[in-house]
Amino acid sequence: MAATVMEIYGSKVFNEHEMRERLPSSTYKSLKATIEKGQPLDLDVANVVASVMKRWAIEQGATHYTHWFQPLTGITSEKHDGFVSPQPDGTAIMEFSGKELIKGEPDASSFPSGGLRATAEARGYTAWDPTSYAFVKDEVLCIPTAFCSYTGEALDKKTPLLRSMQAISDQACRVLKLFGKDVERVSTTVGPEQEFFLIRKEDYNKRLDVVLTGRTLFGSAPSKGQELEEHYFGTLRPIVSEFYKDLDEELWKLGVPARTKHNEVAPGQHELAPIFDTTNVAIDHNLVTMEILQKVAAKHGLVCLLHEKPFEGVNGSGKHNNWSLTAGGENLLDPGDTPMENLQFMVFLAAVIKAVDEYADLLRTSVATPGNDHRLGANEAPPAIISIFVGEELEAVIDAICSDSPYAGPVKMKMDLGVDVLPKFSKDTTDRNRTSPFAFTGNKFEFRMPGSNENLSDANFILNTAVAKALKDFVAATSDAADFECAAAAWVKQTLNDHRRVIFNGNGYSAAWEEEAARRGLPNRKCTPDAMIALKDPKNVALMEEFGVLTKTELFSRYEVEMEHYSKVINIEARTMLKIANKQLIPAATTYMGDVASTAAAKQTVSESLSTRAETRLLTALSRYTDEMSDAADALKAVTDKVSALEDEAAKAHAFHDEVLPAMARLRAAADEAEELCDEDYWPLPCYSRLLFYTE
């Protein structure tokens, strides 16, 4: 099997191995300079690359190419163009130029733009991202690209990410130079853990709510959920095991370093985790993974649900963003083995703590979606309050630094500004805190808030830019100091004192923490409409403009996109509930009540002495819940119609949250009570037990 994996791994990717083998030496060196140093790519070089890439892609069965990009929908988009070029003599040749490789011109008016584009302003451009390898998928050569408007504004998720990666690299290189290390580039790396549910296709097809919204809008609690805790890391069901085998093979062909797979906590829930990679590559891989998950599931009679909370009462699905910084093979978040490395680590650690505290509101926007609002705050998902978990040992180091007191570690030592007395501490001594949004895990940070369906570009471009700002502040404070080590230690001490409020190692679910966080002044924005206002905050606009990541106009457009998206999602969910309730659930309950009433009447016909107490009690209760469903449906329609008519997008989003969601909850509560009483043969929606505990 190992030989087979080695043979197929990356076979569908125009990776460095293929470039080195196929490109002329001078072309390869020029392309490498573009990839590693950001040097412009000459059109003559691009023509050679395009010609070789085309020949390779045709060998892989490709007939078309596409500029594969990430619009503000959060998913990927592609327009396929054929290589074929008809000739005057009736034959055809296969053509692909350097210009076509470097730039494309898709429509830019039909994607979300937040007002940046109108129907009469349709032109947009895609630009090749040579740092992410091209690949062949479904007989199409996919070229990873950025996407912008005719007037130059970023209309995608990738552009600000690439800009932020450059920003943090520039600032981290400046920091390392002060430590005597001359490096050309610092890379951020990400390892996204992808959680998802698998359900049977036949059950999926019977649930209009899951088909249209990705989650169950109705469903009473099953008699068994996840309380026995036997599913986590349990033996894979045969059908799931076969699914994973095919999934691994398809991902490996595309160069996705899928490594870990297991059952997750909730029944029917699973996880796939890759090896770390450079951030933009890792995110491209994750988006491919999401697509392949769904395609492979279909081959096995399954449907992959990527919604953050498809089932009420059990764990939702996250996408943990494991983030770190590397330079020339060195992990900058590794504590190291010597005092000087320890000081360098403390500088980068303090910078991350400062960044997360100062821009927690902006970071919160990166994970704010209608689905994630349902997930956050319970069932192993962190709360909406952003805090940092560092573990007891590292917190003891921080306490000692902040208070100039002895470090109560394995070797007690007095803290002062001299680097030699900074304590050494071991790696991976922290516990796992599943309630923490942002946890240090030995040599990286795990941002646990993103939902399973999200594009991680948002979280990472914000995190990168915020840390770049903190590193820039460090350089400004220490670069001219007579004694750099003392100045660096002093900056670490001051920064940690200023931002200790964001460090919290306790239970993030407790009411006491919510009260304590409020006392500390930490933001607690529980829903998407409340969170998104941070995109318009002047301090956040200033941050993005300082590093050229996004302009004020681009940030404001994203605010409009997200608020409009929130309203549209809730509107779809509300109207789907109405359709299901009025056309399926109420008629089903009514039919069942009619048959029960007929049974009671038949018993009375046979003998008046026969008891109909059970039927009467059932009819009384079910009739009450059916009436409640009908009343709740009428109320939901009225409030949805009213809110949908609002013109101001911000007011509309808040109204959907404050008025429509509670109306939806009332309709669901009545329907779920009715489901408990209605015969399963009458109830049209497959129940939770069937959805989650299917067998082959």
Side-chain angles (χ1 to χ4, degrees):
M1 180 63 182
T4 304
V5 174
M6 292 170 62
E7 289 169 2
I8 68 172
Y9 192 86
S11 60
K12 295 289 186 180
V13 184
F14 192 67
N15 52 29
E16 186 169 344
H17 170 77
E18 294 292 344
M19 289 188 280
R20 188 170 57 246
E21 291 289 319
R22 293 171 179 263
L23 292 173
S25 178
S26 59
T27 303
Y28 173 71
K29 290 178 181 178
S30 179
L31 182 58
K32 283 285 287 182
T34 297
I35 294 172
E36 295 179 355
K37 301 178 182 179
Q39 294 181 4
L41 188 67
D42 184 83
L43 184 58
D44 290 337
V45 173
N47 281 326
V48 175
V49 173
S51 178
V52 173
M53 187 184 290
K54 176 201 69 181
R55 287 199 300 271
W56 169 83
I58 291 172
E59 290 174 14
Q60 306 304 315
T63 57
H64 292 68
Y65 72 91
T66 183
H67 275 200
W68 187 73
F69 61 101
Q70 304 167 26
L72 296 179
T73 55
I75 57 176
T76 59
S77 294
E78 48 195 67
K79 179 188 73 171
H80 301 170
D81 288 302
F83 291 128
V84 64
S85 177
Q87 300 300 296
D89 63 357
T91 62
I93 61 174
M94 304 292 265
E95 291 186 331
F96 182 53
S97 68
K99 183 179 178 181
E100 290 169 320
L101 169 64
I102 292 173
K103 187 175 79 170
E105 295 187 15
D107 172 63
S109 65
S110 297
F111 292 106
S113 70
L116 291 179
R117 296 273 85 191
T119 303
E121 301 167 330
R123 189 181 298 279
Y125 296 113
T126 48
W128 179 33
D129 171 17
T131 64
S132 186
Y133 298 136
F135 56 93
V136 170
K137 174 176 65 71
D138 297 331
E139 289 74 53
V140 177
L141 172 64
C142 297
I143 303 160
T145 57
F147 177 46
C148 66
S149 73
Y150 176 70
T151 47
E153 294 94 352
L155 292 177
D156 67 342
K157 304 283 188 178
K158 171 166 276 198
T159 298
L161 177 68
L162 294 175
R163 293 170 179 170
S164 75
M165 291 170 65
Q166 185 63 54
I168 195 170
S169 176
D170 291 344
Q171 300 308 317
C173 286
R174 294 176 68 200
V175 171
L176 291 176
K177 190 171 184 179
L178 294 175
F179 279 94
K181 299 177 180 179
D182 190 12
V183 298
E184 292 185 346
R185 187 166 187 82
V186 172
S187 297
T188 55
T189 61
V190 166
E193 303 172 31
Q194 180 70 57
E195 296 174 347
F196 56 93
F197 281 84
L198 292 174
I199 64 173
R200 293 189 300 186
K201 177 73 172 177
E202 61 188 270
D203 295 328
Y204 171 84
N205 288 337
K206 296 175 183 177
R207 300 265 338 195
L208 185 65
D209 50 357
V210 182
V211 171
L212 295 183
T213 73
R215 74 181 183 102
T216 54
L217 300 173
F218 299 99
S220 63
S223 53
K224 176 186 176 183
Q226 64 188 52
E227 59 270 26
L228 292 183
E229 301 170 336
E230 82 274 35
H231 192 259
Y232 192 44
F233 285 7
T235 302
L236 296 175
R237 301 181 223 193
I239 191 172
V240 174
S241 180
E242 292 302 313
F243 157 82
Y244 265 130
K245 289 175 185 177
D246 287 351
L247 177 66
D248 281 340
E249 184 172 329
E250 293 303 313
L251 292 178
W252 288 337
K253 288 177 184 177
L254 293 168
V256 178
R259 185 167 188 173
T260 303
K261 56 187 180 184
H262 61 82
N263 287 342
E264 255 300 333
V265 173
Q269 188 183 34
H270 311 279
E271 181 178 300
L272 177 81
I275 300 171
F276 281 62
D277 213 328
T278 306
T279 300
N280 64 313
V281 175
I283 292 172
D284 282 355
H285 282 168
N286 180 250
L287 292 167
V288 169
T289 297
M290 293 165 69
E291 179 182 337
I292 302 301
L293 278 167
Q294 294 168 318
K295 289 182 177 179
V296 173
K299 294 179 181 178
H300 292 269
L302 301 170
V303 173
C304 175
L305 302 182
L306 293 169
H307 193 282
E308 295 87 348
K309 193 73 171 180
F311 301 101
E312 190 172 294
V314 299
N315 279 22
S317 294
K319 180 148 52 192
H320 304 159
N321 190 83
N322 293 284
W323 179 92
S324 192
L325 284 162
T326 62
E330 178 188 7
N331 184 342
L332 301 179
L333 291 178
D334 188 323
D337 297 319
T338 68
M340 190 59 174
E341 289 175 344
N342 188 263
L343 176 60
Q344 177 185 293
F345 163 74
M346 291 303 298
V347 167
F348 281 98
L349 175 72
V352 174
I353 291 172
K354 173 180 168 69
V356 172
D357 185 29
E358 290 185 340
Y359 297 100
D361 59 339
L362 190 56
L363 203 55
R364 173 69 179 91
T365 68
S366 73
V367 299
T369 65
N372 219 22
D373 285 354
H374 294 298
R375 167 180 167 262
L376 294 177
N379 299 113
E380 297 193 4
I385 304 166
I386 292 182
S387 61
I388 297 178
F389 170 83
V390 295
E392 292 183 4
E393 186 177 15
L394 187 50
E395 186 171 34
V397 174
I398 292 171
D399 287 342
I401 291 173
C402 290
S403 61
D404 281 332
S405 60
Y407 166 58
V411 180
K412 289 191 176 183
M413 51 186 71
K414 184 73 167 64
M415 304 301 299
D416 60 26
L417 298 184
V419 67
D420 287 338
V421 298
L422 282 172
K424 291 191 295 182
F425 49 94
S426 53
K427 294 178 288 185
D428 293 326
T429 59
T430 63
D431 198 353
R432 303 286 299 278
N433 188 335
R434 294 184 180 276
T435 71
S436 176
F438 205 90
F440 183 68
T441 56
N443 60 2
K444 66 184 185 299
F445 280 98
E446 182 182 24
F447 187 32
R448 296 179 58 86
M449 293 183 78
S452 58
N453 203 31
E454 293 178 37
N455 184 320
L456 288 175
S457 294
D458 288 338
N460 284 284
F461 92 71
I462 291 170
L463 180 58
N464 290 348
T465 311
V467 175
K469 172 64 173 172
L471 295 175
K472 183 178 180 180
D473 291 346
F474 169 78
V475 172
T478 60
S479 58
D480 295 328
D483 187 331
F484 167 70
E485 292 178 9
C486 284
W491 184 86
V492 168
K493 176 182 177 180
Q494 183 64 52
T495 300
L496 292 176
N497 269 310
D498 290 344
H499 300 286
R500 286 184 69 190
R501 68 174 187 165
V502 79
I503 297 174
F504 176 66
N505 288 338
N507 180 9
Y509 293 164
S510 70
W513 165 235
E514 189 165 337
E515 295 172 2
E516 172 63 21
R519 284 193 294 271
R520 295 187 188 188
L522 300 179
N524 183 13
R525 299 176 180 177
K526 295 184 178 181
C527 69
T528 295
D530 287 346
M532 284 301 166
I533 194 62
L535 292 173
K536 302 177 76 172
D537 190 303
K539 79 173 176 65
N540 297 332
V541 173
L543 171 71
M544 293 299 157
E545 291 194 324
E546 179 177 349
F547 293 95
V549 173
L550 286 173
T551 65
K552 178 179 179 179
T553 300
E554 289 169 332
L555 268 174
F556 278 33
S557 74
R558 279 161 168 73
Y559 172 80
E560 296 296 332
V561 167
E562 296 300 337
M563 295 297 268
E564 183 179 7
H565 176 261
Y566 181 87
S567 296
K568 287 179 176 178
V569 168
I570 305 303
N571 183 56
I572 290 169
E573 291 185 346
R575 297 195 184 281
T576 301
M577 287 191 83
L578 289 171
K579 186 178 290 289
I580 293 172
N582 289 327
K583 293 192 173 184
Q584 291 184 278
L585 304 188
I586 294 174
T590 301
T591 299
Y592 180 54
M593 284 190 291
D595 288 351
V596 172
S598 296
T599 299
K603 289 171 71 174
Q604 286 288 291
T605 301
V606 172
S607 173
E608 292 184 359
S609 64
L610 290 176
S611 173
T612 57
R613 188 169 66 244
E615 290 86 352
T616 301
R617 290 173 62 186
L618 174 60
L619 288 169
T620 301
L622 189 52
S623 179
R624 181 173 75 252
Y625 293 131
T626 305
D627 287 345
E628 288 179 6
M629 264 200 289
S630 180
D631 293 343
D634 290 344
L636 176 58
K637 184 179 188 311
V639 72
T640 302
D641 288 345
K642 183 192 77 170
V643 171
S644 297
L646 297 176
E647 295 184 0
D648 180 84
E649 288 298 339
K652 183 186 291 187
H654 282 285
F656 266 109
H657 177 268
D658 297 341
E659 300 178 47
V660 176
L661 282 181
M664 291 170 61
R666 287 190 288 272
L667 175 54
R668 174 168 189 159
D672 289 355
E673 291 286 358
E675 181 186 351
E676 290 287 328
L677 298 174
C678 193
D679 189 304
E680 190 171 322
D681 290 337
Y682 288 75
W683 199 253
L685 305 180
C687 66
Y688 270 27
S689 295
R690 181 178 177 85
L691 291 168
L692 295 173
F693 294 97
Y694 58 86
T695 57
E696 292 182 83

